[in-house]
Amino acid sequence: MAFERCEIHHILPWELGGPTDLANLLPLCSQHHHVVHEGGWRLELSDDRTLTITQPDGTLFTRCRPDIADQRTRRRTAA
């Protein structure tokens, strides 16, 4: 999904003092934003932007590293 169609999610909720800065923000589509807020899923973002997603029952769903633009370019141009 294109970034401009995403909603911005605060990892530590703004209402609880979570800052509005890149270290605490993730773009989510509307559907996934609602799943996190209403479905009990937990998102954790490490300093290197590795995202850990945990299901409502506490089971690890996935852990993934960001796909950074300059890395994508390097992969495409590598022969």
Side-chain angles (χ1 to χ4, degrees), residues 1-48:
M1 170 173 282
F3 180 80
E4 62 268 9
R5 296 185 62 197
C6 293
E7 298 175 358
I8 302 302
H9 172 72
H10 287 75
I11 300 294
L12 176 61
W14 181 82
E15 299 84 14
L16 300 177
T20 301
D21 60 32
L22 288 178
N24 190 47
L25 301 174
L26 279 176
L28 298 174
C29 72
S30 179
Q31 177 184 355
H32 287 114
H33 202 191
H34 285 283
V35 166
V36 170
H37 281 280
E38 298 164 13
W41 290 69
R42 190 172 74 240
L43 306 179
E44 296 175 35
L45 194 59
S46 66
D47 291 340
D48 70 354

